[in-house]
Amino acid sequence: MSAEATKPLASRLWTFVKPHRAGLALTFLAYLGAAGTEWFIPKLTGYVFGGGFERDAFHLAWIPVVLVGLFTVRGLCSFAGQYLFQWTLTRSVMDFRTALVESLLRLDAQVYTRMQSGAAVTKVVNDPQQILWLLGNVGMAALRDGLPAIVMLVFLFQLNWRLTLIALIVTPLMGWLMRKVNHRVRRVASQAYDAQLDLANRVEDLARAWRVIRQFGAVPVERQRFAEVAQSVRRNSLKTSAASALAQPASQFVASIGISLILVIAVWQIRTTGEGAKAFAEYVTALLLLISKLRHLSDLSQPATQAMVIARGCMELMDAPKEQDQGTLELPGPAKGDIELDAVQLTYPGATTPALDGLSLRFAAGQTTALVGASGAGKSSVIHLLLGFDHPDAGAIRLDGQDIEQLTRASLRRQFAVVSQDIVLFDTSVADNIAYAQVRDEARLEAALKAAHLWDFVQTLPEGLETPIGANGSKLSGGQRQRVAIARALYKDAPIWIFDEATSALDTESERAVQQALEAWQGRKTLIVIAHRLSTIRAADCIHVLGNGRLVESGSHAELLARDGAYAAMVRAQSAEG
Ligand code: ADP
């Protein structure tokens, strides 16, 4: 855990507000100004009634001037107060969100497999706003009621300090009780927050998987599942409210004990010393006022607790393990592309059997190497390791003779262009998807589009290259999405090309694009093809057959057929299907 992670929640939240604290101070001054005008109103009324009805007391024009002036000042102050408060809030929220997204962008690969995207959206989009808004309001209310409470306390001390000290004895008791209640509020509020996240995830699923839901006639099932989660959210928020509603009667109960105690003593004092009833009335009025202020302050504990519960969730995201980037070396330029796995061992957390079990194999520079094997054999895990998303538990992976653990992740990943079977596109234009995170070059774009058999299609689009393709490319067909992904890899022009062939057959257009790309690169780049359809890799220089995380056999298509082992059996099985 980082040093940051061990700091108390409140001080971590303060780090986002601190740079904008001037705004907070000005907000305070503005509200003070607005409150100050209140003081003039009774004063002025008093002045008018005091002598203002006499002829020539003052020019009548002063009435609108003073009144309008006063309300203008008040209006300006309260506008400034609200504006400055929002100014501080929006800036702090933005910083908070930026820090959360920064963390999201650097999470360890393992965290993503556990995390639901709905939770990430809630934690970055809604939570920072809600936390700081809640706390901001608590702070303002604390000022509004806290300042008069302090004044009242001073007043009480000066009236009768002995009695006031006795009154204060009740305070620790009240504090203890509040802590008990707050503890319960925090616990149930935590459950309520988790239930809320579940709800967000369910709804996200509903929006994302709408096709599957309709196809499977699963609307009643989903409705039922949603109802369960919604029910749990309802139950938990009711529990939270009940727990915090308990706080008020409990504190009033304790306060009533204190008040009776004080009254007994005060009345007794008056009876014995014969002090005036006036002092008594003054004292009790001030005391009741103080208690009512304190009661308002105790009402603030619920939103404050609520904010802390939500903050805890955000901090979990902020503290989730980051990707380790311990490498320090940078490859000077494009790699030759010679890759060697040396007795690589990999067991995923929680798995009982290793995904890769002492795997040694080579992807020779400038050659095409295919990885085949049954599903679960470990093909994707090899790619996962090559790209530095995980680290071998034992053994080493070398690129051009250099252990990849010693390379910076950025330098390592620059060497690879990947077309994976799960296609990830962004909600931007065709051009931005292809020249993704790279300098845009029209000639290179055209070449990539032509090589991916997309050029003619793009010409028919209303805005050509600038046409938006929808969330994850929803406005494109399956084949077009695949070809955009291919064009993106072509555009990157890395020395090593990984092609994770889709299990489902590609459309003919995409298949031709793939074949031509493979042919064009063959001999010039290091090509790694994860093949499901063995027909595509006949021409590969070398085929590695994996089984249960181990290398079963290697060789060219002809060699492996001659050997009549696992590969030959797979070929026979596929041609029988075909
Ligand atoms: P292939 O790509 O050949 O189908 P994988 O490399 O995806 O095989 O998987 C190898 C083994 O590792 C499988 O048994 C799979 O269940 C397991 N595995 C893959 N990814 C994870 C993960 N993130 N967590 C736990 N186990 C995993």
Side-chain angles (χ1 to χ4, degrees):
M1 230 197 304
S2 65
E4 189 63 19
T6 54
K7 276 206 221 158
L9 262 184
S11 85
R12 296 187 69 182
L13 288 174
W14 177 243
T15 54
F16 300 111
V17 185
K18 199 174 165 198
H20 316 299
R21 61 188 182 281
L24 223 48
L26 290 174
T27 306
F28 178 65
L29 286 183
Y31 277 113
L32 210 60
T37 59
E38 306 249 345
W39 184 78
F40 282 102
I41 293 170
K43 278 272 166 210
L44 285 173
T45 320
Y47 177 73
V48 170
F49 278 88
F53 291 119
E54 284 164 25
R55 193 179 280 275
D56 301 333
F58 54 80
H59 197 283
L60 285 181
W62 277 112
I63 296 180
V65 168
V66 170
L67 264 186
V68 173
L70 202 61
F71 278 92
T72 308
V73 171
R74 185 156 109 158
L76 283 177
C77 281
S78 86
F79 170 78
Q82 286 194 33
Y83 184 87
L84 288 164
F85 178 64
Q86 288 301 327
W87 184 91
T88 317
L89 187 74
T90 49
R91 276 169 189 252
S92 310
V93 166
M94 189 174 73
D95 288 358
F96 196 179
R97 280 195 185 126
T98 308
L100 284 166
V101 163
E102 182 58 29
S103 167
L104 191 65
L105 284 171
R106 297 191 301 121
L107 287 183
D108 188 68
Q110 284 299 328
V111 184
Y112 287 108
T113 56
R114 286 197 304 270
M115 185 173 60
Q116 283 187 287
S117 51
V121 173
T122 308
K123 284 178 186 184
V124 176
V125 178
N126 305 337
D127 291 357
Q129 170 88 23
Q130 209 189 347
I131 294 166
L132 294 180
W133 186 82
L134 281 171
L135 290 181
N137 282 316
V138 166
M140 288 218 282
L143 282 180
R144 202 181 49 224
D145 291 316
L147 288 179
I150 293 171
V151 172
M152 218 52 84
L153 198 64
V154 172
F155 181 73
L156 283 173
F157 261 105
Q158 160 242 301
L159 263 188
N160 186 340
W161 64 270
R162 277 198 209 89
L163 212 49
T164 308
L165 271 186
I166 294 173
L168 287 183
I169 291 174
V170 193
T171 318
L173 190 62
M174 229 151 148
W176 174 82
L177 195 77
M178 293 311 291
R179 251 207 317 281
K180 281 271 161 224
V181 174
N182 268 340
H183 185 70
R184 159 122 185 116
V185 173
R186 192 166 321 196
R187 202 159 45 85
V188 287
S190 262
Q191 289 163 357
Y193 176 74
D194 291 341
Q196 195 87 31
L197 278 188
D198 276 352
L199 194 69
N201 282 326
R202 282 252 57 88
V203 175
E204 220 233 9
D205 272 355
L206 294 187
R208 191 173 45 79
W210 64 275
R211 264 184 240 271
V212 179
I213 294 172
R214 305 267 170 93
Q215 276 159 19
F216 279 77
V219 170
V221 177
E222 288 298 336
R223 190 181 291 129
Q224 177 59 28
R225 274 203 217 162
F226 175 81
E228 279 162 23
V229 184
Q231 183 72 356
S232 146
V233 169
R234 184 197 61 77
R235 209 176 292 132
N236 280 305
S237 33
L238 189 63
K239 269 195 210 163
T240 315
S241 306
S244 55
L246 200 63
Q248 214 188 33
S251 67
Q252 278 179 350
F253 174 72
V254 176
S256 70
I257 298 176
I259 293 175
S260 351
L261 199 69
I262 291 164
L263 285 181
V264 169
I265 297 172
V267 173
W268 174 77
Q269 240 184 5
I270 292 170
R271 279 188 190 167
T272 48
T273 61
E275 257 180 57
K278 177 175 164 285
F280 173 77
E282 247 178 33
Y283 188 84
V284 171
T285 313
L287 187 69
L288 290 178
L289 274 173
L290 174 65
I291 287 171
S292 93
K293 294 290 171 202
L294 289 181
R295 220 194 57 216
H296 283 152
L297 287 175
S298 77
D299 282 350
L300 297 179
S301 73
Q302 193 210 347
T305 310
Q306 182 83 17
M308 287 307 172
V309 168
I310 306 174
R312 183 199 53 120
C314 287
M315 294 308 168
E316 268 170 18
L317 175 61
M318 225 175 262
D319 300 335
K322 302 292 168 312
E323 180 171 68
Q324 300 289 317
D325 190 358
Q326 280 157 348
T328 48
L329 299 180
E330 293 267 341
L331 286 175
K336 258 180 36 235
D338 193 52
I339 299 168
E340 194 187 355
L341 273 72
D342 184 2
V344 169
Q345 193 81 24
L346 174 72
T347 307
Y348 287 106
T352 47
T353 52
L356 299 179
D357 193 5
L359 184 68
S360 296
L361 51 80
R362 186 150 171 252
F363 300 103
Q367 298 207 337
T368 301
T369 310
L371 274 183
V372 301
S375 164
K379 305 180 292 291
S380 307
S381 300
V382 170
I383 305 304
H384 200 59
L385 288 181
L386 279 183
L387 296 172
F389 290 130
D390 218 326
H391 309 275
D393 301 324
I397 301 176
R398 284 184 282 272
L399 172 60
D400 294 350
Q402 177 73 58
D403 189 341
I404 61 170
E405 292 294 312
Q406 308 201 310
L407 299 175
T408 63
R409 300 297 89 179
S411 161
L412 174 67
R413 288 171 190 158
R414 262 200 299 279
Q415 312 304 323
F416 293 92
V418 185
V419 181
S420 147
Q421 47 178 306
D422 75 280
I423 298 159
V424 179
L425 300 177
F426 296 92
D427 192 1
T428 54
S429 68
V430 179
D432 285 345
N433 265 283
I434 293 173
Y436 178 64
Q438 317 240 9
V439 183
R440 185 166 162 172
D441 173 336
E442 298 305 322
R444 232 166 104 196
L445 258 179
E446 188 176 332
L449 280 165
K450 282 187 170 152
H453 290 234
L454 272 176
W455 183 249
D456 294 338
F457 165 69
V458 169
Q459 300 311 309
T460 66
L461 291 174
E463 294 166 67
L465 278 171
E466 312 310 326
T467 313
I469 61 169
N472 204 13
S474 58
K475 293 184 192 161
L476 303 178
S477 77
Q480 285 157 352
R481 294 177 65 232
Q482 179 112 35
R483 276 175 275 147
V484 171
I486 293 171
R488 180 157 73 201
L490 289 170
Y491 190 89
K492 190 176 176 191
D493 194 26
I496 307 164
W497 226 66
I498 297 177
F499 188 76
D500 188 355
E501 183 193 69
T503 326
S504 59
L506 302 175
D507 60 1
T508 25
E509 191 84 15
S510 307
E511 185 156 3
R512 248 192 310 156
V514 170
Q515 280 302 339
Q516 284 177 5
L518 289 181
E519 279 160 25
W521 292 135
Q522 202 144 20
R524 293 203 292 128
K525 306 233 171 208
T526 307
L527 292 182
I528 301 175
V529 184
I530 294 189
H532 300 276
R533 282 169 310 127
L534 303 175
S535 56
T536 47
I537 51 151
R538 270 195 197 136
D541 299 295
C542 180
I543 299 167
H544 293 306
V545 184
L546 300 192
N548 296 326
R550 296 198 198 97
L551 185 63
V552 179
E553 55 186 8
S554 313
S556 68
H557 178 73
E559 283 165 7
L560 288 177
L561 279 187
R563 185 195 256 259
D564 199 19
Y567 179 76
M570 285 163 75
V571 172
R572 272 199 301 278
Q574 282 201 357
S575 51
E577 274 170 30

